[in-house]
Structures are given as C-alpha cells and as structure tokens.
C-alpha cells in the first residue's frame, strides 16, 4: 500500500445533552454485546518475526469492537510490557480527525470547503502570493494546494522551541508558505503536505475561535468517549509508563521519547489507546450518526476523493476484494512510531494496527492482513 508519512522527527460547541447522547451511542464500540477476542497470540509471532518492540491491533465487526490485543515491550531494555490500555502515537492518522473537525465547522456554516484562503485568512491576504489566494480549504485536505511538504527549514527548526502558542505558530507557517509561489496550480496536482494541514488548522482556529487541541478535545474526544486521547508522545520521559518510540534496526534499535513540534498537530500528533481510536473509527463506519457530530451525508463527503486521485479528506480511498464498496486507509509515522487503519464502511468493518517503532510498516501490514483473513474471511 502507499506510504503517507507524517513528517520527520528531528456553530457553537456541542451542547451537553447532545454530547451525552453521542457518548452513549459511542459506547457500542467499547462495550459490545459479544465478547472481545484477544489478539495477543496472533501478534506474538509476527512481532518476533519482524523484530519490533511491540505491536497492537483492534478489529471492528459490524461497527463493534470484536478483537483487541497487544504484545511486546514498551521500551527496549526495560522490563515493562505493553497493555491493552496503553497509548500509541497515531502520526498522520490524525489527519482524518482534523478533517472531521473542519467538516463540523462546514456543517455549522462557519466554513465552506470551496472558500479560498484569501477569504479564510483575511489577516494574511495582503502578504499572500496571488496564486495562494486561490487555494481552497478542500485543496489543503486533499493535498492539492500546491504547498510544500513542510515549512521552510529555518522556520521548521524554530518550531521546536517556539515561544508563542501553537495557534500563533500555525499562523506563522501559513504566512511563510502562502507568501511564496505555489509548486502547482491549486487543485491540479497531488503534493502530500503536512504543512497544508497546519494551514488548515489555522483556518479552523480562526473560524472557531479556539485552538485545534481544544477543539479536538471538545468536539471529538469528549463526545466520542475518547477519554485517554491526547497530543504528542504518550507518557513521560522520566518513566516507562507508556510505550516509547524506537528508531534503528536490530542491535542498533534504540528507544526515543520525542515528537515533531506540537504546532504540527493537525497533520499528525494525536495519541490514543486502541479502544479510543476505535471509537473514532466507528464514527467513520457510520455507527455514530446524527447532527450532534456529522450526518451520513457529511461523512460521505469526507470519504469522496476528487476524480483525479484517490486522496479524500484525510483518507486514501481504494478497493479491496475482502469487502464491497470503497475502502478507506491511512498510515502514520513520526519516524519513531507507525500505525495503519483499514476501513470498509459498507461492511462496518475495520482493522487498526500500531507499532512503537518507526520502521514498523511491514509488521503492521502483516498484522492487518492476518486480522482481515480471520475476521473478514479473505
């Protein structure tokens, strides 16, 4: 499958009643009627074969959590083992969450997919290159805004020790990128851009009047019951309370507690437990519906790519023989972690796989294939 790396390491808020209704609906993912299978025995041999510190996986069948399991160690050289409740860095699988939040603002009339950046970021209008003023919000989410993969190197390095807020940093990134000529005409070419999602985050922050982090927690995490979801590397550098990321192979493999700058957030800094990630995915399978979050029509729009390519709003859209209809997929990595999601909305089926090693793609793909064979009959 295609690789979509996250980057390099180095309208009003939903009312309390509606949140309660959605949270109760989301519990179908966490407390299904049938017993949840353990995937530990499936993961163990694949983890050893691919020599990664730890693996985790979850399977949703008919929109409910059917299987979940983990195997391995939180940190090479340390005794702590991973648990079913541990947190995993999701990298670019964050992009679907950012797109979902922006879709809520569109549904409320605070944004429009076809609005251009000259209109959406009026404070930056005069400093924008004329071509950049024509970039639409939908172009950013489909990686068709003509923007580079990331901010200019000097600015990127400054973001690691940025003294202002993440919202200010994202505005600075937007100012720098939109002031330069585009690499392609808006909408014309697919150019994967984490920076484009940072700009999209700045657009949503201006429209909502709140930070991306606050909005995701209040608009997605809380209503869906994603109680342990958060941002940046999970756990603490001072202790092995959560899995650590790893780089290198074999004897050279080493743990690292690090992440991209927090301002990169909309492109890929969310962490979550497997069960919490499954709650979000259940929404995209159509299990949690209603105007408290997004209607089925709004979800369908998020899952629809342009005619000229397979990338929709935070999802790659493809087909596979193990399910009818469109298949949604995405992977994520900050080079210390790796994860991948496969969704079949028409069957309300999904497989989620995580690894605390940046070179975990082969291991995660093997786990995903094994889970699909077991639970989708392929």
């Amino acid at each position: 499958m295609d690789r979509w790396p996250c980057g390099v390491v180095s309208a009003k808020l939903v009312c309390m009643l509606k949140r309660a209704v959605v949270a109760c609906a989301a519990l179908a993912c966490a407390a299904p009627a049938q017993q949840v299978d353990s995937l530990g025995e499936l993961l163990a041999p694949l983890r050893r074969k691919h020599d990664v510190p730890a693996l985790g996986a979850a399977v949703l069948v008919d929109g409910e959590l059917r299987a979940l399991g983990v195997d391995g160690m939180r940190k090479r050289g340390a005794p702590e083992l991973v648990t079913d409740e541990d947190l995993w860095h999701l990298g670019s699988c964050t992009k679907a969450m950012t797109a979902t939040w922006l879709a809520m603002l569109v549904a409320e009339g605070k944004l429009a997919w076809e609005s251009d950046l000259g209109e959406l970021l009026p404070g930056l209008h005069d400093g924008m290159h004329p071509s950049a003023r024509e970039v639409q919000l939908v172009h950013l989410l489909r990686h068709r805004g003509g923007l580079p993969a990331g901010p200019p190197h000097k600015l990127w390095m400054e973001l690691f020790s940025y003294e202002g807020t993440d919202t200010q940093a994202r505005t600075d990134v937007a100012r720098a990128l939109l002031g330069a000529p585009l690499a392609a005409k808006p909408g014309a070419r697919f150019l994967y851009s984490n920076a484009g999602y940072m700009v999209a985050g700045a657009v949503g922050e201006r429209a909502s009047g709140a930070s991306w982090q606050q909005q995701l927690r209040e608009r997605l995490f809380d209503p869906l019951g994603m109680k342990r979801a958060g941002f940046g590397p999970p756990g603490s550098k001072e202790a092995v309370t959560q899995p650590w990321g790893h780089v290198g192979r074999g004897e050279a493999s080493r743990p690292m507690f690090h992440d991209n700058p927090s301002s990169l957030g909309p492109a890929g800094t969310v962490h979550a437990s497997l069960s919490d990630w499954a709650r979000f995915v259940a929404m995209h399978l159509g299990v949690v519906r209603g105007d408290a979050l997004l209607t089925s029509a709004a979800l369908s729009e998020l899952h629809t790519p342009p005619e000229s390519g397979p990338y929709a709003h935070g999802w790659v859209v493809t087909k596979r023989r193990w399910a009818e209809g469109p298949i949604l997929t995405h992977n994520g990595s900050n080079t210390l972690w790796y994860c991948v999601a496969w969704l079949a909305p028409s069957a309300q089926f999904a497989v989620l796989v995580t690894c605390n090693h940046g070179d975990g793609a082969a291991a995660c793909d093997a786990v995903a294939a094994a889970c699909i064979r077991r639970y989708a009959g392929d």
Side-chain angles (χ1 to χ4, degrees):
M1 58 172 283
D2 295 323
R3 304 288 170 218
W4 308 97
C6 170
V8 292
V9 161
S10 348
K12 300 179 180 178
L13 295 179
V14 180
C15 70
M16 294 301 295
L17 178 59
K18 285 186 175 181
R19 285 184 190 171
V21 171
V22 175
C24 290
L27 288 177
C29 181
Q34 57 188 335
Q35 182 176 355
V36 176
D37 299 343
S38 172
L39 293 172
E41 50 80 27
L42 180 148
L43 297 173
L46 293 172
R47 183 187 67 80
R48 292 192 295 268
K49 176 181 177 180
H50 293 277
D51 191 22
V52 292
L55 287 168
V59 180
L60 287 82
V61 177
D62 295 330
E64 295 185 343
L65 189 62
R66 174 67 181 277
L68 185 145
V70 297
D71 183 79
M73 63 197 80
R74 289 175 171 171
K75 178 183 178 182
R76 283 200 192 273
E80 291 85 356
L81 301 179
V82 289
T83 74
D84 287 353
E85 295 301 315
D86 276 358
L87 306 175
W88 306 83
H89 196 288
L90 302 183
S92 281
C93 287
T94 299
K95 289 180 170 68
M97 299 180 183
T98 297
T100 301
W101 160 57
L102 292 171
M104 293 177 182
L105 297 179
V106 169
E108 294 165 0
K110 292 185 176 181
L111 291 173
W113 292 126
E114 293 76 23
S115 293
D116 58 52
L117 296 186
E119 172 189 352
L120 295 172
L121 296 172
L124 304 183
H125 178 278
D126 291 347
M128 289 184 188
H129 189 275
S131 61
R133 294 172 187 158
E134 300 176 3
V135 176
Q136 298 176 357
L137 178 59
V138 69
H139 292 152
L140 298 178
L141 299 188
R142 290 175 170 175
H143 299 293
R144 290 180 174 271
L147 298 180
H153 179 72
K154 183 176 183 294
L155 177 56
W156 174 250
M157 299 309 297
E158 292 173 354
L159 293 178
F160 283 94
S161 55
Y162 192 85
E163 295 183 356
T165 66
D166 285 344
T167 296
Q168 292 169 334
R170 286 186 273 271
T171 300
D172 284 351
V173 168
R175 181 179 293 108
L177 293 179
L178 301 176
L182 301 178
K185 181 180 178 180
R189 290 173 52 197
F190 176 88
L191 296 170
Y192 193 89
S193 177
N194 290 310
Y197 267 74
M198 296 177 76
V199 175
V203 168
E205 287 171 327
R206 180 184 179 276
S208 65
S211 72
W212 169 80
Q213 289 93 329
Q214 180 182 344
Q215 284 282 285
L216 249 62
R217 191 167 296 284
E218 294 181 349
R219 304 296 299 266
L220 276 180
F221 298 169
D222 289 350
L224 290 174
M226 299 169 64
K227 296 181 179 179
R228 305 188 64 214
F231 309 98
S236 167
K237 191 174 184 178
E238 284 67 46
V240 190
T241 58
Q242 294 293 336
W244 283 40
H246 291 74
V247 294
R249 298 299 297 170
E251 295 182 358
S253 177
R254 65 187 188 279
M256 291 183 66
F257 190 88
H258 195 54
D259 198 9
N260 287 300
S262 56
S263 56
L264 185 77
T269 66
V270 166
H271 66 245
S273 66
L274 282 161
S275 58
D276 276 354
W277 190 17
R279 291 172 184 265
F280 172 74
V281 167
M283 175 187 176
H284 280 268
L285 294 179
V287 174
V288 179
R289 290 181 177 169
D291 58 6
L293 284 176
L294 284 177
T295 64
S296 57
L299 283 174
S300 178
E301 188 170 18
L302 285 176
H303 302 163
T304 302
E307 293 182 1
S308 54
Y311 200 99
H313 305 63
W315 296 107
V316 179
V317 184
T318 185
K319 290 185 178 294
R320 288 295 185 271
R321 67 184 184 214
W322 43 265
E324 296 181 357
I327 301 296
L328 310 179
T329 185
H330 213 290
N331 56 36
S333 176
N334 66 353
T335 76
L336 297 176
W337 302 74
Y338 186 87
C339 69
V340 66
W342 289 92
L343 286 66
S346 62
Q348 293 192 331
F349 174 84
V351 173
L352 313 175
V353 190
T354 55
C355 180
N356 59 340
H357 197 295
D359 197 16
C364 288
D365 287 349
V367 171
C371 289
I372 289 168
R373 285 193 297 270
R374 178 175 293 188
Y375 291 98
D378 182 45

